[in-house]
Amino acid sequence: MFNRLIKTHGRHRLVEGWPLVFTILVVVSILVGTVVEFAPIFLVQGQVEPTPGVEPWTPLELAGRDLYIREGCNNCHSQMVRPFRQELERYGPYSRAGETVYETPFLWGSKRTGPDLARVGGKYPHLWHVRHMEDPRSTSPNSIMPPYDWMLANELDLSNLPDKLNALRGLGIPYTDAQIANAEEDARAQAAEIAADVSQQGGPEQLQSREIIAMVAYLQSLTVPEGVAAEVAATEAGGDTP
Ligand code: HEC
């Protein structure tokens, strides 16, 4: 009977006539495709080298980054400079893969209601960010960014930092035992420095225990890593376009 069927309709038609067998064959072929697609990604992952100068976040920057995610800043701001002339002119060197090896989750984004922030670190003094977060229109007339003034009032919670660092280490970020044990102390020291700068620049006093300081620390950490700066300098010396 099979022979007759194959003769008149071909093997394919025969298999199609068996829904269960056909389903299993389809699933198997999808699985093979999946493995072929995924396997190289997992194998390659360990081979992306961190760009020289890129370090895991300090505990305070990490706290700021979590606030950035909590407040949904990434809904309006990307953190990836694309390799196009207009982006290079506006933001600086384009983003390299090795710059984000320690980012979990990454915040590259594609929505730009506001400008890209991948290179915003060092662009403004700390106080500018405090004022801008409190009321964006005080520094950027006509800005449509909403104010985040509660960050100047909210107490910064640092108690869970050791746990966060530890969890990130579990995901492959190379935090040391000492960094984890001293996370809270380390964050307080960095916060005190930034808060001192803010008041020295004529801003509000005593912000060291407020959320805004962690946010400023994080934003100021978004700089061009030395590895990228060196690459750009070398290309420019060669007379090539960036
Ligand atoms: C509704 C969209 C929107 C959201 C949400 C938003 N921003 Fe903005 N942001 C803007 C716009 C538009 C500008 C440009 C005007 C200005 O400077 O305020 C801007 C500018 C900025 C700048 C200055 C960038 C530069 O290069 O001058 C920083 C820093 C910034 N935002 C940080 C944040 C942070 C941190 C958050 C979350 C707490 C946030 N933004 C949330 C729209 C947004």
Side-chain angles (χ1 to χ4, degrees):
M1 181 189 116
F2 286 160
N3 283 344
R4 231 184 50 224
L5 243 172
I6 291 172
K7 226 184 233 153
T8 45
H9 299 293
R11 270 173 223 284
H12 185 257
R13 190 62 183 269
L14 175 69
V15 179
E16 256 184 348
W18 294 330
L20 189 64
V21 175
F22 193 60
T23 308
I24 291 170
L25 289 176
V26 166
V27 169
V28 167
S29 56
I30 290 175
L31 284 180
V32 169
T34 309
V35 170
V36 169
E37 288 265 319
F38 270 82
I41 296 175
F42 286 110
L43 290 177
V44 161
Q45 203 177 37
Q47 290 168 13
V48 177
E49 291 290 327
T51 304
V54 172
E55 299 284 336
W57 312 109
T58 68
L60 187 67
E61 289 158 11
L62 184 68
R65 188 170 193 270
D66 285 345
L67 292 172
Y68 185 95
I69 296 169
R70 181 190 77 188
E71 300 296 350
C73 312
N74 49 316
N75 291 322
C76 281
H77 291 285
S78 60
Q79 283 190 30
M80 183 166 54
V81 182
R82 273 79 165 161
F84 303 127
R85 166 70 71 184
Q86 68 272 24
E87 301 246 327
L88 305 176
E89 299 283 334
R90 180 166 181 189
Y91 300 120
Y94 65 86
S95 302
R96 271 65 168 178
E99 287 185 62
T100 43
V101 282
Y102 299 136
E103 293 220 26
T104 39
F106 66 81
L107 296 171
W108 301 326
S110 57
K111 182 79 171 69
R112 281 186 184 163
T113 305
D116 188 276
L117 296 181
R119 308 291 185 214
V120 82
K123 181 175 174 187
Y124 303 107
H126 297 333
L127 178 59
W128 188 93
H129 288 291
V130 175
R131 298 249 187 268
H132 183 247
M133 285 294 137
E134 188 178 22
D135 174 15
R137 276 157 295 282
S138 69
T139 53
S140 318
N142 301 326
S143 173
I144 55 157
M145 179 167 140
Y148 292 87
D149 49 347
W150 55 85
M151 287 201 284
L152 278 79
N154 282 3
E155 278 294 318
L156 177 61
D157 181 9
L158 298 174
S159 59
N160 53 7
L161 273 178
D163 288 344
K164 280 187 192 169
L165 261 65
N166 204 11
L168 285 174
R169 182 158 74 173
L171 293 173
I173 319 277
Y175 285 118
T176 61
D177 287 341
Q179 278 173 314
I180 293 175
N182 300 328
E184 216 176 314
E185 210 178 303
D186 185 333
R188 279 190 211 293
Q190 197 186 354
E193 268 175 39
I194 296 176
D197 271 351
V198 169
S199 52
Q200 207 183 22
Q201 288 161 8
E205 301 282 332
Q206 304 297 329
L207 285 183
Q208 65 276 10
S209 60
R210 307 296 149 141
E211 288 181 346
I212 184 74
I213 293 298
M215 180 57 88
V216 172
Y218 172 62
L219 291 171
Q220 297 290 32
S221 75
L222 303 174
T223 50
V224 180
E226 68 193 55
V228 175
E231 211 178 294
V232 171
T235 334
E236 276 169 8
D240 226 348
T241 40

